Amino acid sequence: MKDLSIKGYIKRVLLVVLGLALSAYGIGMTIYADLGLAPWDVFNQGVSIQLQKHFGIEVMMGTVSQVTCAFIIIIVLLLKEPIGISTILDTILFGGFLNFFMKHNLLPSTEIYVMRFVILGAGFIIWAIGVYMYMQPQLGAGPRDSLMIAFAKRGVSVSIARNSTELFALIVGWICGGKVGIGTVISVFFIGYVLQIVFKIVKFDATKIKNESIIETSKNIFRIQ
């Protein structure tokens, strides 16, 4: 049962923030493994490269992610899909944390080829734990997940919506110079299984989540006051 007290909301928001920090660190590890990026990371890196190449603007991958998520939120709102506190926090903090970890060289890296696979796998696990922590408070879905839900409500299957958007991100990112490699293939086929295993270990059933919209959260807080 959700804790709807002020103290409960503070704890839930802090859990979201910690989860976003962990998931960003995990994704950062997969980037530093240097084996090829996940589709959206290919997109973020590719756009960053092109901005630097053609406009001389140095933009970190996390910043590209923030701007992309902001556009996605606009689309989600135009489709009249509710968003939550976590949706906004995800847009701002995930990219911010990723930039911080990369800028201050806080991510592990190695020239040893085999160890790079270890870093990639560990990154998946840390990311999955972060996703669990982020989802548990039920304060809203991430921007991309919200978009998937909006499409699903309009008759598009979740798998088609997810795969098509990720394929779009991958192709655009690759054309723009984002790194595609064996790590990309592993991400596409195995990252979902890693998330599923982590959820099973912590006994978390994502199908039973009932996310609060910002409007619902606001009503609950005002009711408390």
Side-chain angles (χ1 to χ4, degrees), residues 52-166:
Q52 173 69 35
K53 181 179 179 180
H54 294 288
F55 303 100
I57 303 173
E58 187 174 348
V59 180
M60 298 187 72
M61 289 176 63
T63 305
V64 177
S65 175
Q66 289 172 323
V67 174
T68 301
C69 286
F71 276 112
I72 290 175
I73 285 180
I74 293 174
I75 295 172
V76 169
L77 291 174
L78 289 175
L79 292 173
K80 298 182 179 180
E81 183 64 30
I83 63 173
I85 291 177
S86 292
T87 315
I88 305 299
L89 291 178
D90 187 340
T91 300
I92 299 170
L93 296 183
F94 179 86
F97 281 129
L98 182 60
N99 283 347
F100 178 81
F101 295 139
M102 294 179 70
K103 184 176 182 180
H104 296 282
N105 296 315
L106 298 175
L107 297 158
S109 62
T110 179
E111 296 297 323
I112 303 173
Y113 191 65
V114 174
M115 288 304 298
R116 282 153 65 184
F117 282 94
V118 174
I119 292 174
L120 181 71
F124 287 162
I125 294 171
I126 292 174
W127 166 80
I129 294 172
V131 171
Y132 159 66
M133 295 176 66
Y134 160 86
M135 292 178 67
Q136 191 182 29
Q138 302 181 51
L139 289 173
R144 297 184 187 99
D145 291 332
S146 297
L147 184 61
M148 298 307 99
I149 294 171
F151 284 150
K153 288 182 178 179
R154 285 158 178 79
V156 180
S157 72
V158 173
S159 60
I160 291 177
R162 182 181 181 87
N163 291 339
S164 60
T165 54
E166 291 203 349

Side-chain angles (χ1 to χ4, degrees), residues 2-24:
K2 299 177 184 178
D3 186 346
L4 301 181
S5 67
I6 293 295
K7 185 177 180 180
Y9 271 110
I10 292 174
K11 288 181 178 179
R12 291 164 69 188
V13 169
L14 288 176
L15 190 59
V16 170
V17 173
L18 182 56
L20 289 170
L22 271 180
S23 60

